[in-house]
Amino acid sequence: MVGLIKKHKLIAIVLLAGFAATISYAFYFQVKLAVDSRAYDSIAWSLVQGTGYTETTSPIPDSAIGRLGPGYEFFLAGIYWIFGHHIWIVWIIQSFLHTASAFLVYRLIKRFYTDWNAEKFAALGAGLYIFSIDLLEFPAMLLTETLYLFLVLLGLNFAFAMWQGPTRQNVLAASIVFTLAILVRPPVTVLMLVSLGLLVYKRLWRQAAIFIVTAVIILTPWTVRNYLKYHLFIPTTYIIGYDLWVGNSPGSRYIGELTATDEINQYSSEKGVFAANERGKREFLSLIINQPWEFIKLQLTKTSIYFSAARPAAFWFHLSGISQLLTIILSSSFAFIVFVFGLSGLWLYLKKRDLISRMMVLSTLAAPAGIIWIVAETRYRYQIYPMMIILGVIFLARLLKSPKVYARVLSVFAFIIASNTVFDAVRNIPRLMERLQRLF
């Protein structure tokens, strides 16, 4: 072990420093439970106490099935069952997961960039991931992102191994991990379909069958439980209709954000989870059929929001004053840099014609494809950040080797992201001013 650390000293330092920074953030701010985190905690503790999958802090019947899950709630329940109902234990475990995710980014970069200086660039990628303020915040909160990104990155490591040489073991591992990720957050379904699509494309029918059957086996117990309880087919959670309604309301003051209008809030409170979900599906279909141009404009607007650096992860309730100002600066700077370099790296892989490069492109595009049609709020774009970091670091390596060849590409994407960011900021000046007032 000591020899291994000496051989990989740089990444060891990055991971140790990153873990220290992550856990220090959590214990410094000691973020209180609120909204989603309170709900997840409530459901998890209810599971441990034997009262079922129930959100005991909500007056709305069956509200638990309207939360993202059940993967994260069972993850928390497992921690509480072993260690007791202590939030600080969750902070420590999630800090380890965040550090492990950075290591997986390091592994993926080394898989695709194999030059003599690969160790340095892979460690740089891990550092960008672990010290990104957007991602470093989440281990301090009881929210799904830290576990979700860990599972996505672990699944990608198995998936790329599967695409390069599909064995029964890596097909099974990729399916298991991606399916567990679906139980935490459903948007990874697109990435899972990309993985399955390659097996079908290469006519690897046995491996494709293993992939599908494994996923079905994992999802079946929860699906059966929900059918017996609600008489509905619910493989994960019953929230998609509600989210579609919130994220595709043309009259909303908060286009792109998962902030419900007064009408939606009132309807949900009065009618409950199931009625709101069904109404949401009808409203979404009505928008597509009756106002197709309005629907298209909404998706273009959300795409602009998704790739805007004017959407910092700085408006959590535990931040104020200097800490919030620093988070605005760091978060916006990170988003700008990672999108400029990441999209430049994506351009490199778009030019390639080999199968693995195409899978790299599809794996990247799976992130926005899985969420923009629903919502484009800052925290829901985090799935693309690891891929942007990986692609960006690979592009940086090329840029340093041949600056004259690649500087123009970087300039083009810098102009695109900067222009889009200015457009998004100007178009949303009232919302921007509303949020900036929290600094004073």
Side-chain angles (χ1 to χ4, degrees), residues 9-124:
K9 186 185 295 183
L10 184 57
I11 184 60
I13 292 171
V14 168
L15 295 179
L16 286 171
F19 176 76
T22 306
I23 205 164
S24 296
Y25 185 100
F27 278 89
Y28 176 80
F29 284 103
Q30 298 193 33
V31 182
K32 305 299 181 184
L33 300 178
V35 195
D36 289 347
S37 61
R38 184 189 293 121
Y40 299 144
D41 174 74
S42 171
I43 295 167
W45 188 235
S46 178
L47 286 169
V48 174
Q49 291 182 309
T51 50
Y53 191 83
T54 305
E55 186 182 342
T56 55
T57 56
S58 173
I60 300 173
D62 296 313
S63 58
I65 198 65
R67 298 287 181 180
L68 282 174
Y72 187 67
E73 292 86 338
F74 276 97
F75 166 75
L76 287 180
I79 295 173
Y80 293 161
W81 184 72
I82 296 170
F83 300 103
H85 197 184
H86 304 295
I87 307 302
W88 63 271
I89 295 289
V90 181
W91 297 340
I92 294 173
I93 291 173
Q94 290 189 158
S95 296
F96 275 113
L97 285 180
H98 181 60
T99 306
S101 295
F103 177 72
L104 292 170
V105 168
Y106 162 85
R107 288 284 303 271
L108 284 166
I109 292 172
K110 290 197 75 174
R111 177 181 290 276
F112 295 106
Y113 183 70
T114 56
D115 282 13
W116 62 272
N117 55 354
E119 184 77 14
K120 291 181 181 178
F121 282 100
L124 172 63

Side-chain angles (χ1 to χ4, degrees), residues 56-261:
T56 55
T57 56
S58 173
I60 300 173
D62 296 313
S63 58
I65 198 65
R67 298 287 181 180
L68 282 174
Y72 187 67
E73 292 86 338
F74 276 97
F75 166 75
L76 287 180
I79 295 173
Y80 293 161
W81 184 72
I82 296 170
F83 300 103
H85 197 184
H86 304 295
I87 307 302
W88 63 271
I89 295 289
V90 181
W91 297 340
I92 294 173
I93 291 173
Q94 290 189 158
S95 296
F96 275 113
L97 285 180
H98 181 60
T99 306
S101 295
F103 177 72
L104 292 170
V105 168
Y106 162 85
R107 288 284 303 271
L108 284 166
I109 292 172
K110 290 197 75 174
R111 177 181 290 276
F112 295 106
Y113 183 70
T114 56
D115 282 13
W116 62 272
N117 55 354
E119 184 77 14
K120 291 181 181 178
F121 282 100
L124 172 63
L128 285 170
Y129 184 94
I130 204 166
F131 289 107
S132 157
I133 191 63
D134 296 52
L135 305 176
L136 187 145
E137 287 178 314
F138 278 99
M141 295 182 270
L142 268 62
L143 294 173
T144 60
E145 276 72 12
T146 302
L147 176 62
Y148 178 70
L149 289 175
F150 169 75
L151 291 171
V152 168
L153 283 164
L154 184 60
L156 277 170
N157 271 270
F158 288 126
F160 278 113
M162 179 182 76
W163 295 334
Q164 290 175 324
T167 65
R168 184 178 299 176
Q169 288 76 17
N170 55 39
V171 170
L172 187 65
S175 182
I176 289 171
V177 176
F178 279 146
T179 306
L180 292 176
I182 285 175
L183 288 168
V184 177
R185 296 186 73 88
V188 76
T189 303
V190 178
L191 187 52
M192 196 168 185
L193 291 174
V194 167
S195 301
L196 177 61
L198 176 71
L199 298 176
V200 173
Y201 174 77
K202 296 181 76 172
R203 298 185 179 182
L204 298 169
W205 308 117
R206 182 177 297 178
Q207 288 89 335
I210 292 171
F211 194 90
I212 294 170
V213 170
T214 301
V216 169
I217 290 172
I218 294 172
L219 292 173
T220 293
W222 184 248
T223 306
V224 170
R225 176 263 183 193
N226 290 334
Y227 186 81
L228 293 175
K229 186 174 178 64
Y230 304 114
H231 305 291
L232 292 167
F233 177 74
I234 308 174
T236 57
T237 182
Y238 206 59
I239 196 175
I240 183 65
Y242 173 84
D243 283 352
L244 286 170
W245 190 10
V246 174
N248 292 279
S249 297
S252 175
R253 292 175 55 213
Y254 310 110
I255 297 295
E257 298 181 35
L258 202 57
T259 303
T261 62

